Amino acid sequence: RPGDWVGFRWGDYNGESLTLRQNKTDKSLVLPCTPQLKAALDRAKGALGAVPIAGRPILMKRDGNPVSYRYMAQIMLKERRRLGLEAYDLHALRYRGVQELALHGCTDDEIAAYSGHATKAMIEKYAGEARQIMRARQAAEKRR
């Protein structure tokens, strides 16, 4: 969830994954980092010039204050405008993430472990379109 991004502290990053407790559900998650995220975090950590304090937020403003949700939303809106994607809100990123996991064949349990969704109904809602596309492609292959 975008609301959780601003809560990440350097102590939540172990060099391979991020640990968090979701704000909305209070659910604990350990999320393996993609190679791109790991590289970005390692660069940011190196740029600090010292071992970061575990409680220091990862996302900081230029003035040294932590990034708030509102500030993050403004940054993301600016970037969506730059890319011509204003119609897609921050929640759409999570939706698309679930779809990507479904497109790669993840089970509902695997998606829940990564997305933090509490109910199968929400996973089915988000992953449904992706799974329909996959099944249609599989059916088309069988027709050949």
Side-chain angles (χ1 to χ4, degrees):
R1 288 190 168 89
D4 293 321
W5 299 347
V6 297
F8 283 121
R9 307 278 185 248
W10 281 110
D12 299 329
Y13 177 58
N14 68 5
E16 298 296 327
S17 60
L18 284 166
T19 302
L20 79 135
R21 182 168 296 281
Q22 283 187 322
N23 292 330
K24 185 175 179 182
T25 65
D26 201 38
K27 185 174 187 174
S28 290
L29 298 173
V30 176
L31 305 173
C33 295
T34 62
Q36 298 86 350
L37 178 58
K38 181 182 177 334
L41 288 169
D42 290 344
R43 275 193 310 274
K45 189 174 182 179
L48 294 173
V51 175
I53 297 168
R56 180 182 175 170
I58 292 174
L59 298 174
M60 303 284 286
K61 294 182 193 175
R62 292 180 195 268
D63 65 7
N65 287 314
V67 170
S68 67
Y69 178 82
R70 182 175 176 86
Y71 188 81
M72 173 62 70
Q74 290 170 342
I75 291 170
M76 295 299 291
L77 177 58
K78 183 177 178 182
E79 185 64 9
R80 290 194 326 270
R81 283 184 179 143
R82 185 184 73 79
L83 296 169
L85 301 171
E86 303 97 307
Y88 301 97
D89 63 8
L90 292 179
H91 189 71
L93 292 172
R94 188 167 185 236
Y95 191 117
R96 181 61 189 182
V98 169
Q99 287 184 331
E100 288 290 325
L101 293 172
L103 285 168
H104 283 86
C106 292
T107 66
D108 287 354
D109 286 338
E110 289 169 331
I111 291 171
Y114 206 85
S115 70
H117 281 102
T119 67
K120 299 284 185 184
M122 287 305 294
I123 294 168
E124 289 170 5
K125 174 183 173 183
Y126 286 10
E129 180 182 349
R131 288 183 172 148
Q132 179 276 316
I133 292 167
M134 285 176 36
R135 286 190 294 272
R137 287 179 182 158
Q138 290 167 345
E141 283 297 315
K142 289 178 181 178
R143 239 181 31 186
R144 293 180 189 236

